[in-house]
Amino acid sequence: AQSVSQHNHHVILSEAASLELGCNYSYGGTVNLFWYVQYPGQHLQLLLKYFSGDPLVKGIKGFEAEFIKSKFSFNLRKPSVQWSDTAEYFCAVREGGGADGLTFGKGTHLIIQP
Amino acid sequence: GAGVSQSPSNKVTEKGKDVELRCDPISGHTALYWYRQSLGQGLEFLIYFQGNSAPDKSGLPSDRFSAERTGGSVSTLTIQRTQQEDSAVYLCASTSSYEQYFGPGTRLTVT
């Protein structure tokens, strides 16, 4: 069974700092990769996704992620965070080509201090 | 258009009672997913429907959990004889392709 690891459970940054959240998965075949965000009191929203092609994907709100197949990683990055980026971030994976449910990491709670 | 809706938004029940949670997917979305979000466990996949059939029930934690979907639309997740460990937020998502759109969830508290 596939698994997803998010190594940073809690991250605290100051505004304008750069962000990188780690995500590693275990499945060796073709995968679809996702980052979701959950702002306080809101439901999960898709930040970005990777299915194929350019391994550097850009999402909403200035976020991007890079798929590195050799490292089984899909790290999320943002060059300059804002206070409004305070949220819970979830990495998720699904075996490619299917419609199966997503396997999520346990999430990273990001707090941006003004 | 309207997003995924779930009801109730909050449910408090006594241990041993049955509960029914409802999900209204986005109109036209063929696939529907149920997840559970609990403290320390993150998001766990429970079951998914393609139309009215459930190809994958592998995530249901026990036989007290069941789900159905009728008319290719509304789905209900039923938990029988609830236990305290069932306390969590139950999320529903629907999709017409690869992107899953999530509802606001039902927060279940078993006392």
Side-chain angles (χ1 to χ4, degrees), chain B residues 70-87:
Chain B
T70 55
S73 182
V74 171
S75 175
T76 54
L77 177 70
T78 301
I79 309 173
Q80 296 178 308
R81 305 181 302 282
T82 51
Q83 303 294 313
Q84 287 185 330
E85 61 263 27
D86 300 334
S87 295

Side-chain angles (χ1 to χ4, degrees), chain A residues 1-9 21-28 31-36 71-76 89-95 101-108, chain B residues 35 40-45:
Chain A
Q2 55 194 258
S3 65
V4 178
S5 297
Q6 291 181 242
H7 306 295
N8 314 105
H9 299 298
L21 300 183
C23 173
N24 288 89
Y25 62 94
S26 64
Y27 184 66
V31 290
N32 301 144
L33 296 157
F34 306 82
W35 275 97
Y36 280 85
K71 295 185 178 180
F72 299 90
S73 70
F74 190 56
N75 292 355
L76 181 71
Y89 292 80
F90 295 92
C91 180
V93 64
R94 178 179 58 209
E95 293 178 30
L102 302 178
T103 300
F104 283 86
K106 292 192 185 301
T108 297
Chain B
Y35 295 87
Q41 297 297 318
L43 276 142
E44 306 168 78
F45 166 74

